[in-house]
Amino acid sequence: QPIVSLKGISKTFSNGTVALNNLSLDIRQGEFVSLLGPSGCGKSTALRIITSLTSPSSGRVEWPMEESRQKDHELSFVFQEPTLMPWATVFGNVWLPLRLKGVSKKAAYDEVMEALKGVGLDQFADSYPRELSGGMKMRVSIARALVTKPKLLLMDEPFAALDEITRFKLNNDLLRLWETFGWTVIFVTHSVFESVYLSNRIVVMAARPGRVVNDMAIDAPYPRD
Ligand code: ADP
Ligand code: ADP
């Protein structure tokens, strides 16, 4: 049973741009799915429809594993920009999603530090975002997304703005975290390398109008130890 199921999603924006045409996709628990395709093929639109930031023109998004319709789907979103609050420390930034749920700093402490440890930044809990490199900011952003233990993690070209070496390091960190915690991830990218290196399923999309042209399972193409 899929976590989320896109059924015949089409999206035409008010200016007439057709971003998605009859997109259907099931995402199952534990999958690390790359949505791969050229710029403009509708990848971000598909993610935004899953999060309800954008509504589809037709079609439906279903969450079959949830009895209660709608509400909080327990998903987290990591954007290309880390969007950290500059006035808060690293700890404060990662605490934020728990704080919004009413969890005090004291009650959140262990979870926040665990999330920071997961991305290798527990030593930087008291630092401010301006003191961090781009790669470190992105790691804080990932820690913030994971601290709520989301059922589904959506990442929209998260590493596109980083240099290649930092990007490679983050790919490895992400892979290690996924292998440890086994969440479900949808990772939007136009990098064939990233999709092959990271995911166990690649969904290839084509532009004009956005639809799936290939959907393949890949079984650990790179030996890992
Ligand atoms: P991708 O993430 O694959 O680069 P997008 O989902 O961002 O693609 O965009 C798909 C298409 O929809 C593109 O042609 C883009 O220009 C268009 N588009 C995206 N957002 C809007 C919007 N708010 N209004 C009009 N057109 C949009
Ligand atoms: P990143 O790959 O995380 O962006 P950079 O290679 O840009 O890191 O390094 C920026 C500075 O931050 C370097 O001096 C590096 O030693 C330091 N740094 C980056 N990550 C960590 C970390 N996890 N622990 C300690 N120092 C770090």
Side-chain angles (χ1 to χ4, degrees), residues 120-121 124 133 135-136 139 166 169:
L121 289 181
F124 291 83
S133 70
M136 293 163 89
R139 285 196 217 149
T166 302
K169 286 198 269 182

Side-chain angles (χ1 to χ4, degrees), residues 65-139:
M65 292 167 80
E66 290 174 23
E67 325 77 60
S68 57
R69 204 141 287 268
Q70 252 326 97
K71 253 194 354 187
D72 190 359
H73 293 304
E74 297 174 59
L75 45 82
S76 287
F77 209 135
V78 175
F79 299 94
Q80 184 173 328
E81 290 297 318
T83 62
L84 302 178
M85 301 181 295
W87 61 86
T89 61
V90 165
F91 184 98
N93 273 282
V94 176
W95 172 33
L96 179 73
L98 295 174
R99 192 179 172 180
L100 293 174
K101 292 183 169 184
V103 183
S104 72
K105 188 168 184 176
K106 203 166 161 223
Y109 185 83
D110 288 348
E111 282 166 276
V112 170
M113 292 311 288
E114 190 194 353
L116 284 173
K117 198 170 277 176
V119 297
L121 289 181
D122 47 318
Q123 303 298 313
F124 291 83
D126 298 326
S127 302
Y128 285 86
R130 64 174 177 276
E131 303 172 80
L132 306 180
S133 70
M136 293 163 89
K137 279 185 218 166
M138 180 48 75
R139 285 196 217 149

Side-chain angles (χ1 to χ4, degrees), residues 118-120 139 168-178:
V119 297
R139 285 196 217 149
F168 185 63
K169 286 198 269 182
L170 278 162
N171 278 330
N172 285 326
D173 288 351
L174 183 60
L175 206 46
R176 181 178 48 76
L177 285 165
W178 177 72

Side-chain angles (χ1 to χ4, degrees), residues 13-20 37-46 48 156-157 188 190 205 208:
F13 287 102
S14 50
N15 65 1
T17 304
V18 181
L20 294 173
S39 289
C41 71
K43 304 184 295 295
S44 301
T45 303
R48 293 171 66 85
D156 193 355
E157 301 202 34
V188 162
H190 51 240
M205 289 179 64
R208 272 184 275 288

